[in-house]
Amino acid sequence: MRTPIIAGNWKLNKTSREAIVLVEELKREVADLEGVDIVVCPPFTALESVSEVLTETNIALGAQNVYWADSGAFTGEISTPMLKDFGVQYVIVGHSERRQYFGETNETVNKRLRAALAHGLTPIVCVGENLAEREADQTFAVLQTQVQGSLAGLPAGQAGLTCDEMNKIVVAYEPVWAIGTGKTATPSMAQEAHAFVRGLLAKIFGPDTAQSVRIQYGGSVTPENIAALMSQPDIDGALVGGASLKAASFAAIINAARK
Ligand code: PGA
């Protein structure tokens, strides 16, 4: 049985002070809730203050990106030891905005998630097709390239990573055309993509690992559409952008996702 996981991706929003206000409210709204893993991913500059508010709560801290080297001459980058210093447990890698605007590739996604795993962080690895690819019937081909490419070398026996490590990864299926647009994939469209991704994981890692990996849906998730999405057998939670910026709507999504 997979525990649902709801993560809030705040993107380029909230100063440190604003972040404290948001998590203080969220903390009250979801206090004592069980049956769901809750994560917030503020910008780097708010990690420290949010971390203090979240101490001994049921909300875990995530970051939105990480570089693969621990230290060195990499101006502007942030490493896993720096994130761990603030109690970060999760890190989003390969978000479509990183792929689209910042040159992220499957190869760099792979390096980032390896660094995260090596330091005990849980990577949330994002995959998803854009509108042109969906309209050209390329969705499955794109997902296949992204899953194989970003998780390349992960299968047991290859380059040292094991099924155990794959079990620690969360995958987020986020159709690019649904992100921030208000156009959610229908529950059956999302389920079809999730089942396809799980099938790919089964081919690479075997059925047991594929069954235990959690696959989140992302793209215009709201309190109104979360229940229908969660009712699908292969949807194990959500990566939430816009609706995670208000405590009430994020808490409503969390509540609806509990099993
Ligand atoms: P959205 O963003 O919920 O605002 O569509 C989701 C995401 O980009 O992770």
Side-chain angles (χ1 to χ4, degrees):
M1 171 94 164
R2 300 181 292 265
T3 304
I5 175 166
I6 302 293
N9 173 13
W10 294 5
K11 309 192 180 185
L12 183 57
N13 293 291
K14 304 290 175 189
T15 62
S16 178
R17 211 169 279 222
E18 291 164 347
I20 291 172
V21 174
L22 175 53
V23 281
E24 288 281 11
E25 198 181 333
L26 181 67
K27 191 169 91 168
R28 282 193 298 275
E29 296 254 7
V30 302
D32 306 323
L33 276 191
E34 288 176 357
V36 57
D37 289 344
I38 309 168
V39 185
V40 291
C41 304
F44 292 130
T45 48
L47 286 174
E48 186 171 18
S49 58
V50 168
S51 166
E52 280 162 20
V53 177
L54 296 186
T55 309
E56 292 182 12
T57 66
N58 55 349
I59 307 171
L61 187 59
Q64 297 175 20
N65 194 14
V66 69
Y67 192 62
W68 52 85
D70 285 357
S71 61
F74 303 105
T75 303
E77 294 300 317
I78 300 279
S79 70
T80 35
M82 293 169 180
L83 296 180
K84 290 198 74 175
D85 207 23
F86 292 144
V88 169
Q89 291 172 266
Y90 292 82
V91 62
I92 299 170
V93 291
H95 190 279
S96 63
E97 286 150 16
R98 300 294 321 169
R99 294 177 190 261
Q100 197 177 345
Y101 306 128
F102 303 101
E104 196 81 65
T105 63
N106 293 326
E107 197 190 349
T108 57
V109 170
N110 180 256
K111 288 184 174 184
R112 290 176 210 278
L113 74 89
R114 280 167 177 281
L117 283 173
H119 287 84
L121 294 182
T122 299
I124 298 177
V125 180
C126 304
V127 296
E129 81 288 358
N130 64 30
L131 185 59
E133 290 161 345
R134 175 156 285 266
E135 285 177 344
D137 256 339
Q138 290 300 305
T139 298
F140 288 166
V142 169
L143 291 177
Q144 180 153 0
T145 305
Q146 290 179 340
V147 168
Q148 284 175 344
S150 57
L151 305 179
L154 286 181
Q158 271 185 52
L161 287 186
T162 62
C163 291
D164 253 18
E165 284 162 319
M166 185 63 221
N167 281 330
K168 293 188 182 116
I169 294 178
V170 175
V171 176
Y173 167 64
E174 299 203 303
V176 180
W177 48 270
I179 294 178
T181 57
K183 284 188 212 149
T184 332
T186 63
S188 61
M189 276 161 95
Q191 166 57 27
E192 190 184 31
H194 281 230
F196 179 76
V197 170
R198 203 177 298 287
L200 285 174
L201 296 178
K203 276 190 206 142
I204 305 170
F205 299 100
D208 291 351
T209 299
Q211 278 309 314
S212 75
V213 170
R214 294 181 291 180
I215 308 178
Q216 297 177 306
Y217 169 79
S220 298
V221 172
T222 63
E224 288 71 40
N225 59 28
I226 183 68
L229 289 162
M230 288 305 294
S231 71
Q232 300 297 316
D234 286 296
I235 300 183
D236 307 312
L239 183 54
V240 186
S244 72
L245 294 172
K246 294 242 160 57
S249 55
F250 194 49
I253 290 169
I254 292 164
N255 256 302
R258 288 168 68 203
K259 287 231 163 110

